Amino acid sequence: MDLDAVRTFVAVVDTGQFQDAAAELSITQQAVSKRIAGLEKDLAVRLFTRTARGARLTIDGQAFLPHARELLRVAERAIASVLPGSRPLRVDVIASRSATSGLMRAFHRAHPEIELDVVMLFDVETAIAAIRSGAIDVSFRAVAVPGRPLPDDIASVRVLDEALQLLTGPAHALAGARSVTIAQLTGHRIWMPGIVPGTEWAAYYDDLVAEFGLTIEATGPNFGSDALLDTVADTPALATFMGEQTRLVWPADHGLRRIPVTDPTPVYPHSLLWHRDNPHPALATLRAHLAATTTGHDAAGTWTPSWVLPH
């Protein structure tokens, strides 16, 4: 149904005259008549009768009027839902316990007036496709994996370098250390069943292994962080890497240790990705907030893969 014709019908009802409706809509009286005639043709009924005093609704016109008004209200709501600033900012944080989820919680505390939709997408290709289609506004990712540069229409900015820590159970050989050098990890089994080939974090850990001769095992099913913590707590031969800002809770009797890694400290680089043409005003607010509240990157004594974008 032609919404312009419906809008014209309501204007004629409200003004009582075709001429006054034309003035209100900034169109000619002839255009008003043409729209009404087209609407009557579509509905196969007469909506008005002409009188000396103007246009009067027929019985069919009276029946159609409340529905016409509702059609216009629905159309207004539909348009408002996609206007920049009138819909939530849609953000991909990868995982609910990740550092990037923490960044967004801090943003929400600082800007509670901005409505957010938070999603968790799996890999960078899925995230980029969602940004380009408009399904999401921004994503936090480590970019850019070798051989897979960002498309020209996707912008990025490095927002956080998150230090990796070694997580061990109480019986692990390194459990009593206040810190460990990365060289001290050589020969120890680091178990990370969540590493999936082809992802950006798989590329990161592949380079970490190649650079420092570490042993990282991704064998076995990934039953999630709770099962990982149970296994590390019970198995003296296994440890795992955990981001410094990853939020985890475990039973007190697990006796798990989070140990800083040094000389150098491997850091996981989190970048914010968005479409260069995205007009959502909250995007600028988020970028400004992250720029003001997050630390710098490539600090002395840290390591990242060579393929990570510097900015």
Side-chain angles (χ1 to χ4, degrees), residues 3 6-7 10 14 64-81:
L3 284 178
V6 175
R7 191 171 291 106
V10 172
D14 290 343
F64 180 63
L65 179 59
H67 302 291
R69 293 192 189 279
E70 181 60 23
L71 278 172
L72 296 181
R73 284 192 291 268
V74 170
E76 288 173 2
R77 290 196 297 269
I79 293 170
S81 71

Side-chain angles (χ1 to χ4, degrees), residues 191-296:
W191 188 49
M192 303 189 69
I195 295 179
V196 178
T199 60
E200 65 263 37
W201 57 91
Y204 175 89
Y205 286 108
D206 283 347
D207 272 28
L208 186 64
V209 166
E211 182 78 16
F212 300 106
L214 303 184
T215 302
I216 294 181
E217 301 175 3
T219 56
N222 179 20
F223 289 114
S225 59
D226 291 342
L228 173 65
L229 298 180
D230 291 343
T231 302
V232 169
D234 293 339
T235 311
L238 294 180
T240 192
F241 279 131
M242 194 70 61
E244 182 180 37
Q245 297 184 32
T246 300
R247 294 171 60 91
L248 293 174
V249 177
W250 54 79
D253 60 3
H254 273 21
L256 292 169
R257 313 286 201 272
R258 296 182 74 146
I259 305 170
V261 180
T262 63
D263 298 327
T265 297
V267 296
Y268 194 85
H270 299 284
S271 291
L272 185 74
L273 277 60
W274 70 95
H275 197 283
R276 295 185 186 277
D277 294 334
N278 190 320
H280 201 300
L283 173 56
T285 306
L286 173 61
R287 290 177 57 197
H289 170 84
L290 293 173
T293 59
T294 55
T295 58

Side-chain angles (χ1 to χ4, degrees), residues 22-33:
E24 180 176 297
L25 297 172
S26 300
I27 59 177
T28 65
Q29 185 172 339
Q30 182 181 9
V32 170
S33 298

Side-chain angles (χ1 to χ4, degrees), residues 1 6 13 32 51 64 71 73 108-109 114 143 148 161 170 178 180 187 190 199-200 215 242 250-251 292 308:
M1 185 172 293
V6 175
V13 173
V32 170
T51 70
F64 180 63
L71 278 172
R73 284 192 291 268
H108 181 59
R109 289 193 295 270
I114 294 177
V143 293
R148 287 181 287 172
D161 281 1
R178 300 188 64 175
V180 294
I190 300 170
T199 60
E200 65 263 37
T215 302
M242 194 70 61
W250 54 79
V308 173

